[in-house]
Amino acid sequence: MIKASIIGITGYTGLEQLRMLLAHPEVEIAYLTSRQHENTPIGEIYPHLAHLDLKITDTDHKEVAKKSDVVFLALPHKTAQSVVADLHGKVKVIDHSADYRLDDLPTYEKFYGLHTHPELFKSVVYGITELNREKIRTASTVANPGCFSLLTQLMLLPFAGTIAHVDVMAVTGSSGAGKTPGESTHHPVRNHNIKSYNINTHRHIPEIIRTAQITPEQISFVPCSGPFTRGIFATAFVQTHTDKDPKCAVETYKTHPFIRIQEDVSLANIVGSNYCDLSYKKISDKRYILQGAFDNLTKGAAGNATQVMNLMFGLEETTGLKNLAPLYP
Amino acid sequence: MIKASIIGITGYTGLEQLRMLLAHPEVEIAYLTSRQHENTPIGEIYPHLAHLDLKITDTDHKEVAKKSDVVFLALPHKTAQSVVADLHGKVKVIDHSADYRLDDLPTYEKFYGLHTHPELFKSVVYGITELNREKIRTASTVANPGCFSLLTQLMLLPFAGTIAHVDVMAVTGSSGAGKTPGESTHHPVRNHNIKSYNINTHRHIPEIIRTAQITPEQISFVPCSGPFTRGIFATAFVQTHTDKDPKCAVETYKTHPFIRIQEDVSLANIVGSNYCDLSYKKISDKRYILQGAFDNLTKGAAGNATQVMNLMFGLEETTGLKNLAPLYP
Amino acid sequence: MIKASIIGITGYTGLEQLRMLLAHPEVEIAYLTSRQHENTPIGEIYPHLAHLDLKITDTDHKEVAKKSDVVFLALPHKTAQSVVADLHGKVKVIDHSADYRLDDLPTYEKFYGLHTHPELFKSVVYGITELNREKIRTASTVANPGCFSLLTQLMLLPFAGTIAHVDVMAVTGSSGAGKTPGESTHHPVRNHNIKSYNINTHRHIPEIIRTAQITPEQISFVPCSGPFTRGIFATAFVQTHTDKDPKCAVETYKTHPFIRIQEDVSLANIVGSNYCDLSYKKISDKRYILQGAFDNLTKGAAGNATQVMNLMFGLEETTGLKNLAPLYP
Amino acid sequence: MIKASIIGITGYTGLEQLRMLLAHPEVEIAYLTSRQHENTPIGEIYPHLAHLDLKITDTDHKEVAKKSDVVFLALPHKTAQSVVADLHGKVKVIDHSADYRLDDLPTYEKFYGLHTHPELFKSVVYGITELNREKIRTASTVANPGCFSLLTQLMLLPFAGTIAHVDVMAVTGSSGAGKTPGESTHHPVRNHNIKSYNINTHRHIPEIIRTAQITPEQISFVPCSGPFTRGIFATAFVQTHTDKDPKCAVETYKTHPFIRIQEDVSLANIVGSNYCDLSYKKISDKRYILQGAFDNLTKGAAGNATQVMNLMFGLEETTGLKNLAPLYP
């Protein structure tokens, strides 16, 4: 059994990571930590987990690492910088923060601010299994991608290197904003609403740039908030330099178990599961409409991280994730 | 034209009061005030009102009163105590706070704390038009009822004086919690959820006691939060001392234009309107099931206050409120 | 008072038209007709209207016309063809169907099938007040636009004649699918879902082509169904032939009372009202992101038709529609 | 491995049963049958299952039984009567229909109509594991309870035999109405709505009567439809003959793994999981407020049936059901 710990359990990413690990047949929980709680049964914070005999502690991360085979970091951006630096090479680490997703210091600084350990950028593997499967197998530390950026990258990957321009409109559920109440997730505001925010300035854009082989000028990215809890539904209008057969996507993903090329994409089809549904339609010469959807907390965060863990430990990539049968209706 | 002002415009009650007044053919807006804003176009705070040429000011309430025929107070509980005391008798006042809803100091203090002006309790009229229509016509200050308490009182009114016991389960929309984001209105929590809170301790209970002619021991009140924005849907299980014909409700409300006795009650039928739908079913000897629904912001707050205003100014009770055609679907 | 009738009252468009007319100070209802109902109080079909003393009859449309100043047709496509032909020139007619929205028979036939009265195409005015205000004033019959097409046209109008290419992604509420239950509006399917349908084949596309001065090859239109009841939220990615200042939109709409140019567009800001919110952002040379939202039943159908009626009767364009204060939250 | 088949796979109960079986480590699927489909990959009907290599066939139920260790029937009421009769004793059967839930022919006939095999009533075990665990272990055929009735019975079980009167108000999600679109599940009607139906006539009432040891006169049952997809949230007002300590519920359920006695009950805490949350509050002498919630498709249908299967095959009762980690948010 793999001894797995989650540092930063109380947020939605940590919580979903726990959901994944509880469903995993090869994992046992070592530590669940949070700075705000000491020896608190998890059911006191999250009553939907009241049946579990698990405690939240504020154990130091180095101590956690000693007793664990893998540590999932579900910490705020910037906070993870030094924790990764402390643990890198001593235990397998899967980092949900943005701190090691980029390999370029100026870009990191532009979007997030100072970084104390840029020397680790080259050592941390970017955790898209569909792109970096082999590197992930031997990685010590993996940076799990951002949700919007992972979905967009998965949509664009079959077209990477041939994109002249792409416009993306992506609608996300409210869980993407995390556990802390705010104006944009206030129910009277969010319910029965759609609005966009951070057009062309969203922090997930540089991750997309990195793998889609485009410049910032070649993409418009319109993130929107939608009136549902889980999932992202994205539409991309793509122009290519050369004509492509949209069936190339089938080829790209033929060995990747959680990517489904569908005729049509529907948000409800992926909620609660680790599947990412994609569709590719050719509109005219060099013009395409791509659509994609996944659960932002699952394939968009903790499910993907579990795939990564499976690879790092030599397990079948789908272990514990197929148990997680899709939830519909 | 009636010159009307709203003190405390930025919360949901003030905002709904403005919606009512904008639709009223006999009203012109004098002042919209808020402590946090000075000379701010209302569209900057609420973009859905961007077309209006109205400003929010922080004008002192005495100054507001001088230039107004009626002042609506949409202030927090406790804050309204002294403002009512300052304005009472100088301008017509309709108070949305709980500060003058009760006529009994110990009960007020038990549920809300200290009161600086209990001497006004007897002068302020409790604003249920279906109960106190004549007193409201000549009132100087009216206390608008709480939303849960108004709906429950309207349900029970035809049975008042004959109730042996009543159990109420009432589900409210998220707008009832107001404008400030919090745990219970966080979209990932509220969406797809129902839960109860403050069972038998909710502050609206003493208002119900007052008019239903029962003691606290004769009622259980279970307020619940539901996954929608507007409206309250309530079910009451009533036992009476003597057998009643449920048709008595038709008689009670025959001259009251916003009460509709329906075969069945459906939340969607009242959203956005000032109607209150009620149903009365006899189950067995001395046992009844009552159901009721209204929009907590409209008939449950600002619509009722507008009815009150109409009476205070000798207008037809429905003026400006029938324009407000029900919104369905 | 204008005597107004609605032929086809039982669907959502007819119902919303009634909501508009009930809030209008210059209108009295003459007839509300439906083939399926004879002398039925409207509250029996729609309990949210139980307080109204109005009956649904199956009066013949010619008889209706004799007693009316204006007739709103809320009939299915194809059914309206002959009714318009019967009434044209005898009474003012505002037609909610698609039957006279296009001025070109082959296009009509391609999207809808046979037409028995194409000779009337040139006599019926296309009902966009922001485009055809003067023609509407003197029209006998007006074709009210489709909801997706009206919003898209309003978004594109300031750029008409300069568009090289446009990609539109528009999400609509479930009321757009009408009153008849179906797979796509089944609550377990629609709730917590977004999906697209009829990409580049939607029937509203030829209306857009007509006024945006583009060919079908220059537009991609992705209609989506969203998990809410009312409203459409659209995002358009526009490339122009020549550089434009996005502020041109302010100029285009400066005399049009229901168009609001906003910094950001939010679906909740327009629900229940007749306002259409638009935003224009320049991204780079000749590239723009446009967003728009309106209530598909109000400005997207019955509210727009009421604006049209106001013009046809020489009333202020906003009469009865400003009473309809926006509903938020 | 247990060879399991589902007869009637295309409805929501069959679909959820498949979700349970896919997550079960000791089960392999033998047949998934439907009269309407022959050799259809399940992904064609349900795209969220597109990754599965499973076919729907119209194999005769006797043939299915020969190749299976257990057969789940997800057939309409009445249709299951003869299928159970054909299979009883030949294969383990778990029947989701109402056909064998009652042990009394006149009651069955009153609520459902004719029954062709009442002689089997005594042989079929009623599938509440918390009540009939030992009988289920050795049963050949088990009738899975109705969703409303199971939740209400689980709430009342600790008080069974002492109840003087109980009033229940229970709100269910739209999935409870099944896969066929209808008026009450039409999104524009269901969204933002609550309404009651079949007060005191709902078909699930006789099941409750059976185990709560009360007469029909001692219960009022108000089923309501709510604006969410999954789950039932119920509140019961109970009067007892003798005073009870509400902590008795803890004792009743101490060996039952899916019942959680919580301080407060919240619908969101159980969605997607097999847990049933219950709370017990004493209000005054002999008066109690009970609340309960579970997922109508999981613990209210297919999850409970899987618990039943585990018992019938001598497995740990929780096998495959704890993998199914609760879904929150």
Side-chain angles (χ1 to χ4, degrees), chain A residues 28-314:
Chain A
E28 62 184 11
I29 304 297
Y31 287 97
L32 305 174
T33 78
S34 159
R35 279 279 170 271
Q36 303 114 283
H37 300 284
E38 186 177 350
N39 261 4
T40 311
I42 195 160
E44 284 186 20
I45 312 300
Y46 283 117
H48 74 291
L49 301 177
H51 58 283
L52 294 177
D53 188 22
L54 285 174
K55 285 201 167 150
I56 305 177
T57 64
D58 66 348
T59 314
D60 180 79
H61 60 262
K62 290 180 190 168
E63 184 64 22
V64 168
K66 274 185 209 158
K67 307 282 177 57
S68 306
D69 300 312
V70 61
V71 173
F72 293 88
L73 303 186
L75 296 168
H77 307 319
K78 317 269 306 196
T79 306
Q81 292 178 8
S82 61
V83 181
V84 167
D86 283 351
L87 304 186
H88 179 65
K90 297 178 186 130
V91 65
K92 291 185 200 299
V93 175
I94 300 172
D95 178 17
H96 280 291
S97 86
D99 286 346
Y100 294 89
R101 288 179 191 159
L102 302 174
D103 57 358
D104 163 51
L105 185 59
T107 306
Y108 182 90
E109 287 180 336
K110 180 179 165 196
F111 283 86
Y112 297 95
L114 289 181
H115 201 299
T116 54
H117 294 280
E119 74 280 3
L120 287 175
F121 282 11
K122 299 297 177 199
S123 312
V124 175
V125 174
Y126 188 55
I128 302 192
T129 64
E130 290 79 4
L131 188 70
N132 290 335
R133 188 187 265 156
E134 293 314 312
K135 284 186 198 162
I136 291 168
R137 284 192 210 278
T138 58
S140 174
T141 300
V142 172
N144 209 55
C147 54
F148 273 130
S149 46
L150 178 53
L151 180 56
T152 310
Q153 288 175 86
L154 291 172
M155 291 164 75
L156 297 181
L157 214 56
F159 285 65
T162 70
I163 298 170
H165 192 86
V166 57
D167 291 315
V168 183
M169 195 279 197
V171 191
T172 186
S174 55
S175 62
K179 197 197 173 186
T180 307
E183 167 72 12
S184 79
T185 54
H186 190 40
H187 186 273
V189 173
R190 184 71 172 240
N191 186 31
H192 211 292
N193 204 357
I194 300 188
K195 67 183 199 66
S196 59
Y197 61 100
N198 293 354
I199 294 181
N200 283 358
T201 62
H202 196 284
R203 288 169 160 190
H204 287 179
I205 296 172
E207 291 181 61
I208 301 167
I209 302 296
R210 187 179 167 188
T211 69
Q213 303 174 34
I214 49 176
T215 64
E217 291 68 36
Q218 288 174 290
I219 184 167
S220 271
F221 187 75
V222 180
C224 294
S225 58
F228 47 89
T229 307
R230 280 173 171 257
I232 303 179
F233 178 89
T235 299
F237 300 94
V238 176
Q239 282 178 272
T240 57
H241 294 299
T242 54
D243 212 39
K244 297 271 292 181
D245 182 343
K247 291 210 189 84
C248 66
V250 175
E251 185 63 23
T252 303
Y253 289 119
K254 72 182 171 187
T255 68
H256 293 284
F258 291 109
I259 308 296
R260 300 185 301 200
I261 310 299
Q262 300 261 22
E263 191 63 34
D264 293 298
V265 169
S266 193
L267 189 70
N269 284 342
I270 51 73
V271 169
S273 87
N274 198 49
Y275 289 94
C276 172
D277 282 2
L278 303 174
S279 74
Y280 293 82
K281 292 186 174 67
K282 183 169 180 174
I283 297 306
S284 62
D285 188 49
K286 301 180 195 161
R287 283 198 181 268
Y288 307 83
I289 295 176
L290 280 46
Q291 295 192 301
F294 66 28
D295 189 314
N296 57 306
L297 293 177
T298 317
K299 180 62 178 166
N304 189 73
T306 305
Q307 256 184 283
V308 164
M309 180 195 77
N310 286 340
L311 290 173
M312 291 169 94
F313 284 87

Side-chain angles (χ1 to χ4, degrees), chain D residues 134-292:
Chain D
E134 294 313 312
K135 284 186 199 162
I136 290 167
R137 285 192 210 277
T138 58
S140 174
T141 300
V142 172
N144 208 57
C147 53
F148 274 129
S149 46
L150 178 54
L151 180 56
T152 310
Q153 287 176 86
L154 291 172
M155 291 164 75
L156 297 182
L157 213 55
F159 284 65
T162 70
I163 299 170
H165 192 85
V166 56
D167 290 316
V168 183
M169 194 279 197
V171 192
T172 186
S174 56
S175 62
K179 196 196 172 187
T180 309
E183 168 72 11
S184 79
T185 53
H186 190 42
H187 187 273
V189 172
R190 183 71 171 240
N191 186 31
H192 211 289
N193 204 357
I194 299 189
K195 68 184 199 65
S196 58
Y197 61 101
N198 294 351
I199 293 181
N200 284 357
T201 62
H202 196 282
R203 288 169 160 190
H204 287 179
I205 296 172
E207 291 181 63
I208 301 167
I209 302 296
R210 188 178 167 188
T211 69
Q213 304 174 34
I214 49 176
T215 64
E217 290 69 35
Q218 289 174 290
I219 184 167
S220 270
F221 187 76
V222 180
C224 294
S225 57
F228 48 89
T229 307
R230 280 172 170 256
I232 303 179
F233 178 88
T235 300
F237 300 95
V238 176
Q239 282 178 272
T240 57
H241 293 298
T242 55
D243 212 39
K244 297 272 291 182
D245 182 343
K247 291 209 190 86
C248 66
V250 174
E251 185 63 23
T252 304
Y253 289 120
K254 71 182 172 188
T255 68
H256 293 285
F258 290 110
I259 309 296
R260 300 186 300 200
I261 310 299
Q262 301 260 21
E263 192 62 33
D264 293 298
V265 170
S266 194
L267 189 69
N269 284 341
I270 50 73
V271 169
S273 87
N274 198 49
Y275 289 94
C276 173
D277 281 2
L278 302 175
S279 74
Y280 293 82
K281 292 187 175 66
K282 183 168 179 174
I283 297 307
S284 62
D285 188 49
K286 301 180 195 163
R287 283 198 182 268
Y288 307 84
I289 295 176
L290 280 46
Q291 295 192 300

Side-chain angles (χ1 to χ4, degrees), chain C residues 13-318:
Chain C
T13 304
L15 189 62
E16 181 78 350
Q17 190 61 62
L18 179 58
R19 186 170 84 95
M20 301 296 101
L21 298 180
L22 291 171
H24 197 292
E26 306 288 334
V27 165
E28 62 183 14
I29 303 298
Y31 287 97
L32 305 175
T33 79
S34 159
R35 279 279 169 272
Q36 302 113 284
H37 300 284
E38 186 178 351
N39 261 4
T40 311
I42 196 161
E44 283 187 21
I45 312 301
Y46 283 116
H48 73 292
L49 301 176
H51 58 283
L52 295 177
D53 187 22
L54 285 174
K55 285 203 168 149
I56 304 177
T57 65
D58 67 347
T59 314
D60 180 78
H61 59 262
K62 290 180 190 168
E63 185 63 22
V64 168
K66 274 185 208 158
K67 307 281 177 58
S68 307
D69 299 313
V70 61
V71 173
F72 293 87
L73 303 186
L75 296 168
H77 307 320
K78 317 268 310 198
T79 306
Q81 291 178 7
S82 61
V83 181
V84 166
D86 284 351
L87 303 186
H88 179 65
K90 297 180 184 125
V91 64
K92 291 186 202 299
V93 175
I94 301 172
D95 178 18
H96 280 290
S97 86
D99 286 347
Y100 294 89
R101 288 179 192 159
L102 302 175
D103 57 358
D104 163 50
L105 185 59
T107 306
Y108 182 91
E109 287 181 337
K110 180 180 165 197
F111 282 86
Y112 297 94
L114 289 181
H115 202 299
T116 54
H117 295 280
E119 74 280 2
L120 287 175
F121 281 12
K122 298 297 177 199
S123 312
V124 175
V125 174
Y126 187 56
I128 302 192
T129 64
E130 291 80 3
L131 188 69
N132 291 335
R133 189 187 264 156
E134 294 314 312
K135 284 186 198 161
I136 291 168
R137 285 193 210 277
T138 58
S140 173
T141 300
V142 172
N144 209 55
C147 53
F148 273 130
S149 47
L150 178 54
L151 180 56
T152 311
Q153 286 174 87
L154 291 172
M155 291 164 74
L156 298 182
L157 214 56
F159 285 65
T162 69
I163 299 170
H165 192 85
V166 56
D167 291 315
V168 183
M169 195 278 196
V171 192
T172 187
S174 56
S175 62
K179 198 197 172 187
T180 308
E183 168 72 11
S184 80
T185 54
H186 190 41
H187 186 274
V189 172
R190 184 71 171 239
N191 185 31
H192 211 289
N193 203 358
I194 300 189
K195 67 183 198 66
S196 58
Y197 61 100
N198 294 354
I199 293 181
N200 283 358
T201 62
H202 196 283
R203 289 168 160 190
H204 287 180
I205 296 172
E207 290 181 63
I208 301 167
I209 302 295
R210 188 179 166 186
T211 69
Q213 303 173 34
I214 49 175
T215 64
E217 290 68 35
Q218 288 174 289
I219 184 167
S220 271
F221 188 76
V222 180
C224 293
S225 57
F228 48 89
T229 307
R230 280 171 171 258
I232 303 179
F233 178 89
T235 300
F237 300 95
V238 176
Q239 282 178 270
T240 58
H241 294 299
T242 55
D243 211 39
K244 297 271 292 180
D245 182 344
K247 291 209 189 86
C248 66
V250 175
E251 185 64 23
T252 304
Y253 289 120
K254 70 182 173 188
T255 68
H256 293 284
F258 291 109
I259 308 296
R260 300 186 299 201
I261 309 300
Q262 300 261 22
E263 191 63 32
D264 292 298
V265 169
S266 193
L267 189 69
N269 284 341
I270 51 73
V271 169
S273 86
N274 198 49
Y275 290 94
C276 172
D277 281 2
L278 303 175
S279 74
Y280 293 81
K281 291 186 174 67
K282 183 169 179 174
I283 297 306
S284 61
D285 189 49
K286 301 179 194 165
R287 284 198 182 268
Y288 307 84
I289 296 177
L290 281 47
Q291 295 193 300
F294 65 29
D295 189 316
N296 58 306
L297 293 177
T298 317
K299 179 61 178 167
N304 189 73
T306 305
Q307 256 185 282
V308 163
M309 180 195 77
N310 286 338
L311 290 174
M312 291 169 94
F313 285 87
L315 299 175
E316 180 66 33
E317 195 169 334
T318 58

